[in-house]
Amino acid sequence: MSLLLALLEDMFFAMIPAVGFALVFNVPVKALKYCAYGGAVGHGLRFVLMESGVAIEWATLAGATTIGFLGVYWSQRFLAHPKVFTVAAIIPMIPGVYAFKAMIALVTINNQGYSPALWASLIENLTTAGFILSALAIGLAMPGLLFYRRRPVI
Amino acid sequence: MGKRLTEPEQRAISRLVIEVGQRLLQHGAESKLVSDVSIRLGRALGLDSVELALSASSLVVTTLSQGHCITTARRCPDRGINMKVVTDIQRTVILAEKGILDALAVRKRLSRIEPFRYPPWLVVGMIGLSCAAFSRLAGGDAVVFALTFIASATGMRVRQLIAHRHFNPLLTFAVTAMVTTLISSVGTIMDWGNEPFLIMASSVLMLVPGYPLINAVSDMVKGFVDMGIARWTMASLLTLATALGIVGAMSLVGAWGWL
């Protein structure tokens, strides 16, 4: 029961940034609610998978793939490219904190000199950010990689 | 292909094809979309084939019709991500493909597409809430939520004001990160909320170049490796500029939340 509540809370708080960033990307008004649904479903799925012990990269791939297929479905109904819906929807899963931690470690190595801890922070965060980001982009591309190989989605 | 195109007709269609490609590239479409949509428009308007050479800041198009080729190039300075423009252009091309629009009608429709923007204050409020939601997802309490909202909404307003004056995006990102971190570091210094670090970490997440990064990886996956690398480099530089802003603010106030 508490897991279900936590899931609902997670999905709700993932919807807000999906819509917020959709505004920054100037997504058409009618597409905004699909960005919200996509954000909730993708982040919710990732939450459930991570709770059951799946690593963040694989959970992210599963979430992004789901959003990718939803995007194709909406894309054909709404006559717009899937990225119109999907990129805003995956924004809550973007590894921003990892990317910034890596860059801040880089800047600090320059300021304070090399230390194994800083170097480890740079490499570990950069690697994690890179893998999560690849999982996101490949997940979104999955419908194209599997089914729409030689024809456009719309 | 049915009717023969005269040279002026081919020239006019070539201009339309490259305008479509240019505008898509300027408003943040991925390379595969830019090339697919331009080629489809050319074919729909009666060209035999369209060849595209994409680079990060310019576009070259060659159109072929009955052995005649016309090549033209355009610069594509960044105009900011705008999915409304991308959607409108793609719908125009689909209508041309269905035979509903001819070249003249396509030109009319394209000239009517204006970059639509949401009201700045709505964006400020929603981005504030978005970053606050990130802090909540990371496990912050109500105090963290409120402070993150204030820091990132103020930061977003600063970002709009700077960007409006056409400063370099790297500079915009660094200054915005600095202002945002200065405000959010109040929480760390005063030790407010359950995890004051989350305020600093979440409020700058509005500066993660999500769209360029995703486009970079998609481009590389779909065979546009050079475009992907260019976008990846730009996105990394924006992240580095943001990090410089954060570090600058942290050394000013002496709140080393990130380390």
Side-chain angles (χ1 to χ4, degrees):
Chain A
M1 192 60 208
S2 67
L3 184 70
L4 190 69
L5 273 179
L7 173 66
L8 285 178
E9 193 192 330
D10 182 86
M11 289 173 78
F12 174 73
F13 281 106
M15 273 176 144
I16 300 171
V19 176
F21 281 82
L23 297 185
V24 175
F25 304 150
N26 298 295
V27 166
V29 181
K30 283 181 190 163
L32 284 178
K33 65 175 180 204
Y34 300 109
C35 296
Y37 298 156
V41 170
H43 205 275
L45 179 62
R46 180 168 93 158
F47 177 81
V48 170
L49 288 176
M50 280 171 68
E51 285 292 304
S52 49
V54 180
I56 188 168
E57 296 84 357
W58 291 106
T60 305
L61 183 68
T65 307
T66 312
I67 295 177
F69 279 101
L70 278 174
V72 168
Y73 174 67
W74 291 326
S75 156
Q76 289 165 346
R77 277 187 44 191
F78 191 75
L79 222 59
H81 190 67
K83 283 251 160 96
V84 171
F85 314 97
T86 53
V87 178
I90 59 154
I91 285 288
M93 296 197 272
I94 292 259
V97 174
Y98 295 105
F100 284 149
K101 273 191 173 165
M103 287 297 182
I104 286 169
L106 184 70
V107 177
T108 316
I109 288 175
N110 178 48
N111 275 347
Q112 304 177 355
Y114 169 87
S115 79
L118 281 175
W119 186 250
S121 162
L122 168 61
I123 297 295
E124 281 167 11
N125 286 305
L126 201 64
T127 316
T128 310
F131 275 108
I132 295 178
L133 206 64
S134 310
L136 286 171
I138 293 169
L140 288 190
M142 209 57 103
L145 295 173
L146 295 180
F147 302 112
Y148 294 87
R149 294 190 299 269
R150 303 204 56 136
R151 59 196 167 106
V153 173
I154 53 162
Chain B
M1 289 298 125
K3 61 173 184 142
R4 289 178 74 89
L5 294 172
T6 62
E7 206 210 303
E9 279 175 335
Q10 190 188 347
R11 200 167 287 281
I13 294 170
S14 306
R15 288 205 177 113
L16 286 177
V17 170
I18 199 162
E19 191 195 330
V20 160
Q22 182 192 30
R23 292 186 74 178
L24 287 176
L25 200 58
Q26 286 182 308
H27 288 110
E30 59 169 289
S31 306
K32 180 87 164 51
L33 183 68
V34 175
S35 92
D36 280 359
V37 170
S38 316
I39 292 171
R40 280 166 64 182
L41 177 68
R43 292 258 177 85
L45 295 179
L47 296 171
D48 293 340
S49 80
V50 176
E51 307 291 332
L52 260 91
L54 278 164
S55 86
S57 61
S58 58
L59 178 66
V60 178
V61 167
T62 295
T63 62
L64 267 128
S65 176
Q66 275 109 28
H68 264 276
C69 67
I70 292 179
T71 299
T72 177
R74 294 282 184 283
R75 288 262 305 135
C76 306
D78 191 27
R79 291 269 183 84
I81 298 154
N82 198 317
M83 286 302 115
K84 180 77 166 66
V85 173
V86 171
T87 307
D88 288 348
I89 291 179
Q90 192 167 19
R91 284 184 187 159
T92 309
V93 172
I94 290 173
L95 288 178
E97 231 169 18
K98 290 189 173 147
I100 300 169
L101 300 178
D102 60 1
L104 204 68
V106 168
R107 196 171 72 199
K108 258 193 178 155
R109 263 186 91 109
L110 283 181
S111 67
R112 277 210 309 268
I113 297 174
E114 287 285 322
F116 154 88
R117 298 211 176 277
Y118 283 99
W121 286 106
L122 177 67
V123 176
V124 166
M126 277 309 293
I127 288 296
L129 274 179
S130 300
C131 291
F134 285 136
S135 76
R136 182 81 193 102
L137 285 173
D141 61 7
V143 180
V144 170
F145 189 90
L147 261 174
T148 309
F149 175 82
I150 295 169
S152 53
T154 317
M156 191 65 203
R157 188 63 194 145
V158 171
R159 179 177 164 183
Q160 286 174 347
L161 291 174
I162 305 174
H164 188 68
R165 285 168 179 73
H166 302 289
F167 279 97
N168 185 302
L170 295 168
L171 198 73
T172 309
F173 273 59
V175 173
T176 308
M178 195 156 179
V179 173
T180 311
T181 304
L182 281 179
I183 298 170
S184 58
S185 64
V186 173
T188 315
I189 295 166
M190 301 293 190
D191 205 20
W192 282 335
N194 58 347
E195 278 184 80
F197 163 69
L198 286 178
I199 310 168
M200 292 177 83
S202 309
S203 55
V204 287
L205 285 182
M206 64 175 168
L207 292 165
V208 177
Y211 220 109
L213 281 170
I214 291 295
N215 269 347
V217 182
S218 325
D219 280 0
M220 288 195 249
V221 172
K222 293 170 187 174
F224 297 88
V225 180
D226 44 356
M227 284 294 285
I229 291 172
R231 289 191 208 231
W232 181 270
T233 307
M234 194 59 210
S236 302
L237 287 177
L238 288 172
T239 315
L240 181 62
T242 310
L244 282 172
I246 297 172
V247 172
M250 288 198 302
S251 36
L252 267 182
V253 294
W256 294 96
W258 282 87
L259 291 177

